[in-house]
Amino acid sequence: MQISNFLMLNVGYAEHKGDWNYRNVNSPFARIYYVVAGSGQIVMGDKRHMLLPGHMYMIPPFTTHTDFCEGHFAHYYLHIYEETSSGEDIISAYDFPFEIKGREIDRELFSILVESNKEMTLKSSDPRTYDDETSLIECVKFNRGRPLYLRMESMGIVSWFIGRFIKDARPKYMVSDERIRTALKMINSMISELVGVEQLSEEARMSTGHFIRLFKEELGCTPMQFIIERKMMRAKMMLVSESLMMKEIAYSLGYEDVSYFTRLFKKHVGITPSQYRQAYNSQTPSISE
């Protein structure tokens, strides 16, 4: 698997006194917490999770959740945006554990990361100040423009944290057949192009019918369903993180017909690409660190 480029959007230390209360949080970046003192809670789906001192927590991108605390709650926070050129990314490829036991070195590394990147600390926990398309783009550009030594130091620590979680993570797609793994690599490397089933089956050296059956046995969906899922995930990320015109996003995913791309997006996401971007940029104050 290609090594991704993890961009740090925000990092800091926060203390709350019953004011960490936000509903329906959903962001295009991953969050990692290290709890220092007190306790908080996160609700995802029908599960309620306690956030306890000395533990680390990870929330993947586009994961709806609700945060709250009733008393003192102190924690480090880290926002990570994963950038890849091929569409093959680590965070989307694995099911990560939500909670792991923290170590003293984790806390020390968080402290170093915050101290070295004071300009990346959130000025406010109000989502309107940082969790919209404009702020996200600005954070990405700011990260790219920082001195190389600082980016490398920060990326080393961020990769350490990802590695801590990936140790107990499970691949989302448990593929045993080498021919299907070859096809998946091809899909990931050609996410910006239109890839046909015949092309994939030829690469896998199988008949089209046999390839489709085996693919579905291995992944639980057809090749085209898998390709569209990956493209729509990439489209959502681009809609909220890049100021591109709709036709530019469609072209970058291999769709020359913008109307077709719009219909396909609405079919799989429930709203049009424009509505998705607008909804993200008009979120009410419901996002925490």
Side-chain angles (χ1 to χ4, degrees), residues 61-265:
F62 298 110
T63 302
T64 301
H65 58 286
T66 293
D67 312 327
F68 61 93
C69 67
E70 297 179 344
H72 182 233
F73 179 52
H75 66 282
Y76 288 103
Y77 61 86
L78 171 64
H79 298 169
I80 304 168
Y81 177 77
E82 186 173 13
E83 189 177 60
T84 58
S85 59
S86 68
E88 183 176 19
D89 53 86
I90 292 175
I91 293 178
S92 296
Y94 285 85
D95 284 321
F96 288 87
F98 171 71
E99 176 183 18
I100 63 173
K101 177 67 175 176
R103 303 171 183 168
E104 184 58 32
I105 190 173
D106 296 319
R107 181 172 178 172
E108 292 175 0
L109 287 172
F110 249 121
S111 178
I112 293 172
L113 200 58
V114 172
E115 182 65 26
S116 300
N117 299 277
K118 293 180 179 179
E119 70 280 7
M120 304 186 79
T121 297
L122 292 171
K123 303 298 187 295
S124 168
S125 61
D126 187 328
R128 291 173 297 190
T129 65
Y130 74 90
D131 199 3
D132 57 26
E133 179 189 0
T134 301
S135 296
L136 186 59
I137 292 171
E138 289 177 351
C139 284
V140 171
K141 289 182 178 178
F142 176 77
N143 197 310
R144 290 172 179 162
R146 295 191 305 154
L148 179 59
Y149 80 90
L150 193 53
R151 282 186 286 137
M152 293 184 69
E153 286 179 0
S154 299
M155 186 173 178
I157 296 177
V158 169
S159 296
W160 166 277
F161 289 141
I162 295 292
R164 293 277 283 114
F165 281 90
I166 206 170
K167 178 182 177 183
D168 297 314
R170 295 178 301 174
K172 287 185 178 180
Y173 311 107
M174 299 293 290
V175 178
S176 59
D177 194 286
E178 181 62 34
R179 294 168 295 181
I180 300 302
R181 283 201 291 269
T182 298
L184 290 178
K185 290 178 182 178
M186 185 175 184
I187 292 172
N188 287 324
S189 66
M190 299 179 67
I191 198 70
S192 61
E193 303 175 35
L194 286 181
V195 183
V197 176
E198 294 78 8
Q199 187 178 1
L200 292 171
S201 59
E202 182 178 343
E203 180 71 17
R205 298 183 180 181
M206 302 168 65
S207 69
T208 301
H210 186 198
F211 172 74
I212 294 174
R213 288 193 298 273
L214 185 58
F215 193 100
K216 192 169 184 177
E217 288 177 8
E218 291 275 7
L219 285 94
C221 62
T222 67
M224 290 311 301
Q225 288 171 334
F226 181 86
I227 291 171
I228 292 173
E229 177 190 342
R230 297 290 291 173
K231 285 181 180 289
M232 294 304 103
M233 177 62 75
R234 181 63 50 182
K236 288 193 290 184
M237 188 70 78
M238 295 177 72
L239 283 166
V240 300
S241 66
E242 301 182 30
S243 54
L244 296 174
M245 296 176 64
M246 212 58 63
K247 64 179 182 181
E248 293 176 305
I249 293 177
Y251 293 164
S252 70
L253 293 169
Y255 300 112
E256 295 185 4
D257 187 336
V258 182
S259 297
Y260 174 73
F261 165 70
T262 299
R263 292 194 302 271
L264 192 63
F265 188 94

